[in-house]
């Protein structure tokens, strides 16, 4: 395996040398180079653009063009080769990983190259692909996320998605690596796939509702939804309520909390006439466009310590409490290093060291509170939109189960909720 990796690196360097000797308009890139460049580009666009100043690698528009024209040739063998090469290069200790998958919508197109018609979908060969299914793997112990497979699809169905995930999980297990969890956004298609996996789980477990398994297999994994999408859903659902109010009863409270979006608008309008501002609220954070609703930076202007403090000072205590609760959950779930809690003097941002950490109980209580919110439909409802309670309950309950299993079975020293585990 090491000789194959050395040979691959040598060929990669030789190709870069040959490309450097040709003019930019006459350069032709191999599929292996495109895959490597895509991996760098999807990790960091700015880093990739800086590399282009020194290396003859494709422009980002070229990469996007290739994503929309992926070939269906030999996808399984390339996926297995990539996974094997990366896991063999890791330490000899028992490995654990999280499987992440997402859909990318692309423009339909076809072209003839290398004696092959490229651009057709795998589920409907006569139609060009409209969606690219990206399956990524995040090894634990602080190792880097990498892309395992790109699948061009005309119409993505739950059966196809379940089949592809099952094949990758089964292959990963042949490498003596455990799949700890599956993670995705809260699309109805993904919920359907998770329902399939959950129905196969027959093992008695304290977290049966959030555990999945392959058909006929007793090894289980946890079901997760992306907390970034979850927090964006809270903001979007809150502001799009016709009443602009959300009512929720937190654990330990006698009365429910009523959060009012208009309280944030009042503070923003008051600060427009002031030189010194108490919050980071902007017009885009409170009145985002369809594209701006996807920006996490604008969501964090609402769920912010300064915003909660300004609301408290003005007497909007219920809205401040609502923001503080979900802000604390975000801080617990977004720990990027072991010392960030010390630097910011915030215990919530420290890694989890024990399975009985009080922060895990807080997340579980918050998940139950969201699950018990009012149901019903109509303009006068005061609740999250349909299936968001399902998303949050599964996410926080699953992280609780992941932490319990990690410390009980694997003897790790600490766990960070951004996916890094160390011994």
């Amino acid at each position: 395996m090491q000789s194959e990796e050395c040979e691959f690196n040598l060929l990669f360097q030789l190709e870069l040398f040959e490309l450097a000797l040709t003019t930019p308009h006459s350069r032709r890139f191999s599929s292996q180079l495109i895959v490597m460049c895509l991996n760098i580009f999807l990790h960091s666009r700015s880093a990739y653009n800086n590399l282009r100043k020194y290396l003859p690698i494709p422009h980002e528009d070229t990469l996007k063009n290739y994503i929309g024209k992926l070939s269906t040739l030999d996808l399984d063998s390339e996926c297995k080769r990539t996974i094997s090469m990366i896991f063999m290069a890791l330490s000899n200790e028992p490995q654990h990983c999280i499987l992440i998958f997402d859909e990318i919508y692309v423009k339909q197109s076809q072209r003839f190259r290398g004696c092959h018609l490229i651009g057709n979908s795998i589920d409907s060969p006569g139609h060009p692909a409209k969606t690219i299914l990206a399956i990524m793997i995040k090894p634990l112990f602080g190792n880097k996320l990498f892309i395992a497979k790109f699948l061009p699809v005309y119409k993505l169905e739950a059966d196809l998605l379940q089949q592809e995930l099952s094949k990758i999980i089964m292959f990963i297990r042949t490498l003596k690596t455990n799949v700890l969890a599956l993670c995705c956004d809260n699309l109805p298609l993904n919920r359907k796939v998770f329902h399939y996996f959950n129905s196969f789980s027959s093992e008695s477990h304290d977290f049966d509702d959030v555990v999945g398994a392959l058909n006929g297999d007793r090894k289980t994994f946890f079901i997760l939804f992306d907390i970034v999408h979850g927090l964006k859903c809270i903001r979007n659902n809150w502001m799009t309520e016709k009443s602009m109010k959300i009512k929720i009863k937190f654990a330990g409270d006698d009365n429910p909390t009523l959060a009012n979006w208009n309280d944030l608008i009042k503070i923003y309008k008051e600060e427009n006439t002031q030189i010194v501002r108490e919050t980071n609220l902007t017009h885009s954070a409170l009145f985002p466009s369809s594209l701006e609703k996807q920006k996490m930076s604008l969501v964090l202007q609402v769920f912010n310590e300064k915003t909660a403090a300004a609301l408290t000072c003005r007497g909007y205590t219920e809205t401040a409490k609502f923001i503080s609760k979900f802000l604390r959950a975000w801080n617990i779930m977004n720990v990027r290093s072991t010392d960030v809690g010390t630097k910011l003097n915030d215990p919530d941002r420290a890694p989890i060291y024990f399975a009985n950490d009080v922060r895990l109980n807080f997340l579980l209580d918050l998940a139950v509170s969201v699950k018990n919110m009012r149901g019903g439909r109509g303009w006068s409802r005061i609740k999250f939109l349909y299936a968001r309670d399902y998303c949050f309950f599964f996410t926080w309950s699953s992280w609780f189960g992941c932490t319990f299993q990690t410390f009980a079975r694997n003897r790790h020293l600490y766990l960070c909720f951004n996916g890094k585990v160390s011994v």
Side-chain angles (χ1 to χ4, degrees):
M1 182 60 66
Q2 291 182 353
S3 61
E4 292 180 2
E5 184 178 356
C6 292
E7 181 180 359
F8 179 79
N9 292 336
L10 180 60
L11 293 175
F12 175 69
Q13 295 176 30
L14 289 175
E15 182 175 359
L16 289 179
F17 181 74
E18 292 176 357
L19 292 171
L21 299 178
T22 59
T23 59
H25 294 288
S26 60
R27 289 171 181 169
R28 298 295 181 267
F29 306 101
S30 67
S31 58
Q32 290 83 1
L33 180 67
I34 292 293
V35 171
M36 290 194 66
C37 292
L38 272 173
N39 203 354
I40 300 173
F41 176 74
L42 292 175
H43 273 82
S44 173
R45 177 179 295 182
S46 59
Y48 184 81
N49 289 330
N50 285 328
L51 280 176
R52 288 196 70 250
K53 298 177 182 178
Y54 309 102
L55 297 176
I57 52 180
H59 190 271
E60 63 176 88
D61 292 339
T62 305
L63 296 180
K64 295 176 183 178
N65 190 32
Y66 270 89
I67 291 178
K69 300 173 181 177
L70 287 177
S71 170
T72 60
L73 299 176
D74 210 20
L75 289 175
D76 286 333
S77 62
E78 179 65 23
C79 172
K80 292 179 180 179
R81 190 185 76 86
T82 302
I83 296 174
S84 300
M85 181 177 66
I86 292 179
F87 277 108
M88 291 294 290
L90 300 178
S91 63
N92 295 326
E93 298 176 357
Q95 290 294 326
H96 307 273
C97 68
I98 295 177
L99 213 59
I100 306 171
F101 56 97
D102 200 1
E103 302 84 21
I104 307 170
Y105 296 100
V106 295
K107 184 178 179 180
Q108 290 181 278
S109 61
Q110 287 181 317
R111 65 176 175 172
F112 188 79
R113 179 170 179 175
C115 300
H116 297 286
L117 184 63
I118 299 175
N120 284 337
S121 57
I122 61 171
D123 58 329
S124 182
H127 297 85
K130 295 193 298 185
T131 305
I132 301 299
L133 173 62
I135 301 177
M136 298 160 281
I137 299 176
K138 176 64 177 75
L140 302 188
F141 298 98
N143 296 304
K144 300 295 184 180
L145 174 77
F146 68 93
I147 299 171
K149 199 171 190 178
F150 275 126
L151 285 172
V153 181
Y154 178 71
K155 184 179 180 181
L156 187 58
E157 300 286 352
D159 294 337
L160 175 63
L161 180 54
Q162 180 199 356
Q163 178 184 356
E164 293 298 331
L165 292 174
S166 299
K167 287 194 297 185
I168 293 180
I169 292 173
M170 291 176 64
F171 179 74
I172 290 176
R173 288 176 177 173
T174 63
L175 303 176
K176 298 181 180 181
T177 300
N178 176 47
V179 177
L180 184 63
L182 302 184
C183 183
C184 65
D185 54 22
N186 190 31
L187 288 178
L189 174 70
N190 297 334
R191 295 200 302 268
K192 188 175 181 180
V193 172
F194 280 171
H195 175 72
Y196 286 161
F197 284 129
N198 182 256
S199 64
F200 294 144
S201 178
S202 59
E203 182 181 359
S204 178
H205 201 284
D206 292 336
F207 310 97
D208 281 334
D209 290 338
V210 295
V211 170
L214 301 182
N215 191 6
D217 193 356
R218 293 184 59 85
K219 291 184 178 181
T220 58
F221 44 80
F222 287 93
I223 294 172
L224 300 173
F225 291 103
D226 185 8
I227 187 61
V228 174
H229 286 82
L231 202 61
K232 286 190 287 188
C233 286
I234 296 176
R235 193 281 309 269
N236 295 340
N237 296 334
W238 186 11
M239 63 175 291
T240 54
E241 289 282 353
K242 291 191 177 181
S243 61
M244 289 192 172
K245 297 176 182 178
I246 285 184
K247 183 182 290 185
I248 181 173
K249 185 177 181 181
F250 295 112
D253 291 353
D254 296 330
N255 299 315
T257 298
L258 183 63
N260 194 338
W261 185 262
N262 287 318
D263 295 343
L264 298 171
I265 297 177
K266 292 177 184 177
I267 291 180
Y268 171 70
K269 290 181 178 179
E270 290 176 9
E271 290 187 338
N272 273 342
T273 59
Q274 299 176 2
I275 298 177
V276 179
R277 299 171 59 89
E278 298 178 18
T279 70
N280 297 326
L281 293 174
T282 61
H283 185 272
S284 297
L286 298 177
F287 308 97
S289 63
S290 298
L291 185 61
E292 289 172 338
K293 286 181 180 179
Q294 303 177 25
K295 294 184 178 181
M296 192 61 191
S297 58
L298 298 180
V299 178
L300 293 179
Q301 291 180 16
V302 175
F303 294 94
N304 190 283
E305 294 176 352
K306 292 183 178 180
T307 304
L311 287 167
T312 303
C313 291
R314 287 169 169 79
Y316 306 131
T317 54
E318 292 193 66
T319 306
K321 181 178 180 180
F322 178 83
I323 290 176
S324 298
K325 290 284 186 179
F326 284 97
L327 176 61
R328 185 187 179 193
W330 168 255
N331 290 337
I332 296 172
M333 300 287 291
N334 190 41
V335 180
R336 296 181 176 274
S337 64
T338 57
D339 57 351
V340 65
T342 304
K343 290 180 179 179
L344 300 178
N345 194 23
D346 187 353
D348 288 333
R349 300 192 184 188
I352 302 294
Y353 289 98
F354 306 100
N356 58 352
D357 195 300
V358 294
R359 289 173 290 173
L360 297 176
N361 295 326
F362 168 78
L363 291 177
L364 196 59
D365 290 340
L366 188 58
V368 174
S369 299
V370 173
K371 186 180 180 182
N372 293 333
M373 291 179 69
R374 285 182 52 188
R377 294 177 179 271
W379 74 270
S380 62
R381 73 190 188 281
I382 305 178
K383 65 177 289 295
F384 290 133
L385 295 183
Y386 174 70
R388 304 307 179 194
D389 52 353
Y390 172 94
C391 167
F392 287 104
F393 178 76
F394 262 60
T395 299
W396 288 323
S397 299
S398 294
W399 275 123
F400 190 92
C402 282
T403 306
F404 179 83
Q405 185 181 102
T406 300
F407 285 110
R409 299 182 181 180
N410 303 317
R411 298 182 181 178
H412 298 319
L413 179 60
Y414 67 86
L415 184 143
C416 294
F417 274 150
N418 69 333
K420 295 182 180 180
V421 178
S422 180
V423 293

